[in-house]
Amino acid sequence: MIVTTAQLFKHAYGKYAVGAYNINNAEQAMGLFKGALQSQAPFIIQISKGARKYTDKRMLEAVIRAASEIFPECIFAVHLDHGDEETCYDCIKSGFFSSVMIDASHEPYEQNVAITQRVVAAAHAKGLSVEAELGMLGGVEEDIKVEDGHATLTNPVEAQDFVKKTGCDSLACAIGTSHGAYKFKGHQSLHFEVLREIQKLIPGFPLVMHGSSSVPADEVKRINAAGGQLDDAVGVDVNEYLPAAKLGVTKINIDTDGRLVWTRVHREYFRDHPKDFDFRPPGKIFIEEYAKFIASRNVLLGSAGQLADLRQSLGK
Ligand code: G3H
Ligand code: 13P
Ligand code: ZN
């Protein structure tokens, strides 16, 4: 069942974070729904601009509709990840999305405010909610690359002003994470002091953490043992998910880790079966492995086991 992102956030705030997982194809959708069901967790499906272009924007919508029929127990929202203004309007018009993200964080502050205000007006008119971004994560988002040293943490006072001026429904904050598989040099903790300050200034307001993949060392080791070259890959400490949730982070974005599961399964399969050329055997393994991964993440996010209570609070 598709619900609004606002309904998920209301149930989660201060208690747990909803996992927001990117999908690009049917195998990812199958693994995601299976894992969510196994762990009895609500979730958010994210579609990026790149994912919409990968096959055709209608393809993923059809896949998600089908998955919702195959797994009628699942409760989830559909979200545009890192949208520009034009893509936001397209998704709002499609009638399929629960929420959109307008990412104008690379623009000067006043521009970010103006663009976000326009998207909020269009989205709210159709009952969708809007995630905006303030501060800059490192790494690559869609076609925008933020060079090392140019990432900036979110300023809490600015965040309060931004939310008031734009009327956005949730805010992606830069607290030291970055997109992709190379997040830190050595161990690095998240900037919880930024979250604490924002929560103090705008209590109850849902925050979003991007770049939250943990890049498991064991996964990287297996990929490299099967021909990969992902040296120095390192991610977020999974033990920081729940403390972030308690400080108002209601949505935690995980994409890279799913790609690592795919890469490990396929590299190992074709290494061990050099004469094979059928994509279905590794595809089937991937679906099961991705389901296991999703269930394990939902446990760490605290969203596992929340489905029954959420259903009751929604009156469904
Ligand atoms: O933040 C970016 C997400 O990981 C989506 O990646 O734009 O390559 O689909 P993508
Ligand atoms: P990762 O690259 O850490 O998975 O982050 C994904 C993300 O933030 C999607 O918006
Ligand atoms: Zn992101």
Side-chain angles (χ1 to χ4, degrees), residues 81-82 101 133 137 141 179 210-211 253:
D81 190 27
H82 292 288
M101 175 188 189
E133 179 169 327
L137 276 75
E141 286 170 11
H179 292 104
H210 283 246
N253 289 9

Side-chain angles (χ1 to χ4, degrees), residues 37-216:
L37 195 58
Q38 276 167 20
S39 52
Q40 291 287 296
F43 62 100
I44 295 171
I45 300 186
Q46 307 209 108
I47 305 179
S48 72
K49 260 194 312 176
R52 293 177 94 223
K53 275 192 229 138
Y54 173 53
T55 48
D56 183 289
K57 61 186 182 185
R58 291 164 296 186
M59 188 67 88
L60 277 181
E61 295 187 11
V63 164
I64 293 167
R65 276 198 189 94
S68 186
E69 279 178 32
I70 299 166
F71 300 93
E73 263 188 71
C74 285
I75 299 181
F76 62 99
V78 182
H79 179 76
L80 167 68
D81 190 27
H82 292 288
D84 54 22
E85 198 172 355
E86 192 193 327
T87 312
C88 283
Y89 296 145
D90 197 42
C91 292
I92 292 167
K93 205 172 66 190
S94 89
F96 184 66
F97 285 74
S98 316
S99 50
V100 293
M101 175 188 189
I102 173 66
D103 181 1
S105 57
H106 46 280
E107 302 285 355
Y109 183 74
E110 291 306 334
Q111 273 286 99
N112 190 357
V113 168
I115 296 168
T116 304
Q117 278 172 339
R118 291 198 291 271
V119 172
V120 166
H124 285 185
K126 297 269 183 185
L128 283 79
S129 48
V130 176
E131 174 185 329
E133 179 169 327
L134 192 62
M136 255 197 281
L137 276 75
V140 183
E141 286 170 11
E142 295 285 353
D143 351 314
I144 299 159
K145 182 167 179 0
V146 180
E147 300 294 343
D148 268 4
H150 284 79
T152 44
L153 298 183
T154 303
N155 173 331
V157 175
E158 215 169 57
Q160 183 186 28
D161 180 67
F162 184 85
V163 166
K164 194 166 154 217
K165 281 185 176 148
T166 62
C168 67
D169 305 281
S170 61
L171 189 67
C173 301
I175 56 165
T177 64
S178 60
H179 292 104
Y182 304 91
K183 298 189 191 298
F184 311 114
K185 294 195 171 58
H187 180 78
Q188 199 173 311
S189 179
L190 304 181
H191 288 266
F192 283 110
E193 77 283 1
V194 173
L195 292 177
R196 225 171 269 123
E197 201 52 37
I198 297 176
Q199 198 186 36
K200 220 188 286 168
L201 293 171
I202 31 179
F205 190 79
L207 306 176
V208 178
M209 195 163 104
H210 283 246
S212 310
S213 280
S214 65
V215 190

